[in-house]
Amino acid sequence: MEQDSVNRNTIKVLLVDDQPLLRMGFKLILEGEEDLHVVGEASNGREALEAVGRLDPDVVLMDVRMPIMNGIAATEGISASRSEARVIILTTFDLDEYAFAGLQAGASAFLLKDVAPAELVQAVRLVASGDAVVAPRVTQRLLENFVRNRPPRPTPHPDPLLGELTPRELEVAQCIAQGHSNAEIAHELFLSEATVKTHVRRILTKLHLRDRVQVVVYAYETGLVIPSNPDY
């Protein structure tokens, strides 16, 4: 199922799931797009790590519950490696702990397995381009649970890295943490989308973060974003 000849502009995808039929379904969806190519498949996290090192995919669609090594551990392994592959966690479980575990392990996105084909394709493209996505219907619960169960640790001084951000970059970071798109940030801050993208790149560099989803996690962990409603 693995092919050696792939167009340079094609997004290479690795499918990781212990259910062959599910992998087949995802492959049929993705291979129907000219710019997407499934370079390989794996049935557990250990196979996924080996395949990432051998196939160098751009995006990994990663199941959570698998034998031998689960998707969270595999995602941690990919994040700790030299691979540039970005991980999309796919799960049938609409439970916050899976989303948090995946994102904190370094995943770039969290989607449910019943995602619509068009949304799945768009998510792969967004993640490959450096933009991350979280399923809209779980985004709010994700942040609510994070704030409720993982409050920012009290520290006498803010994270030193925040001092590297300009006032405008802090504003953009806060907008990212609230789930706003580049277009929404541009509208809110009266900036062009190109300027917003530049700010996002600088924020990621200064905070040593992989993508904008990691900005969300960082913002709530450090208290950069604090809910105004105590019952939030």
Side-chain angles (χ1 to χ4, degrees):
M1 292 185 184
E2 299 166 6
Q3 301 180 19
D4 296 326
S5 179
V6 180
N7 185 289
R8 181 178 300 177
N9 296 321
T10 299
I11 298 171
K12 298 178 294 181
V13 183
L14 174 67
L15 301 178
V16 185
D17 197 292
D18 62 344
Q19 299 181 42
L21 288 178
L22 193 60
R23 296 200 306 269
M24 181 183 298
F26 285 139
K27 183 173 182 177
L28 288 174
I29 293 171
L30 298 174
E31 291 282 9
E33 304 294 322
E34 292 184 359
D35 61 331
L36 304 180
H37 176 64
V38 176
V39 294
E41 302 179 21
S43 61
N44 61 65
R46 185 177 298 171
E47 290 180 2
L49 289 176
E50 186 276 332
V52 166
R54 177 166 48 86
L55 301 173
D56 191 29
D58 300 303
V59 177
V60 180
L61 293 183
M62 182 78 73
D63 186 22
V64 173
R65 291 189 172 185
M66 295 180 292
I68 302 179
M69 178 186 288
N70 65 39
I72 304 303
T75 298
E76 290 178 339
I78 293 172
S79 297
S81 71
R82 296 181 179 179
S83 172
E84 294 296 323
R86 298 178 184 275
V87 177
I88 297 178
I89 292 289
L90 284 166
T91 179
T92 54
F93 304 97
D94 189 1
L95 298 175
D96 296 321
E97 58 263 33
Y98 292 108
F100 283 117
L103 297 181
Q104 291 176 324
S108 295
F110 170 82
L111 294 174
L112 300 180
K113 286 185 178 180
D114 63 358
V115 62
E119 188 179 350
L120 174 63
V121 168
Q122 181 66 3
V124 170
R125 289 173 176 151
L126 285 172
V127 168
S129 70
D131 289 328
V133 56
V134 179
R137 62 174 167 161
V138 300
T139 301
Q140 192 65 24
R141 288 204 322 124
L142 192 71
L143 299 181
E144 288 175 355
N145 188 77
F146 194 99
V147 174
R148 184 171 58 250
N149 296 328
R150 296 181 63 87
R153 294 183 297 272
T155 55
H157 303 289
D159 186 337
L161 289 178
L162 288 176
E164 299 295 322
L165 302 184
T166 66
R168 179 62 84 182
E169 288 167 352
L170 279 172
E171 289 181 317
V172 173
Q174 290 170 330
C175 288
I176 293 173
Q178 292 164 1
H180 296 175
S181 66
N182 286 346
E184 291 169 336
I185 296 173
H187 177 74
E188 182 173 337
L189 300 181
F190 303 101
L191 301 170
S192 69
E193 284 195 51
T195 299
V196 171
K197 290 181 180 179
T198 298
H199 284 312
V200 172
R201 286 196 298 270
R202 289 174 178 169
I203 290 167
L204 295 177
T205 299
K206 290 180 178 181
L207 298 182
H208 308 299
L209 299 174
R210 190 179 181 92
D211 53 42
R212 58 198 300 141
V213 159
Q214 300 305 309
V215 175
V216 176
V217 175
Y218 174 88
Y220 279 88
E221 283 186 322
T222 61
L224 177 61
V225 172
I226 299 176
S228 58
N229 184 350
D231 295 325
Y232 176 58

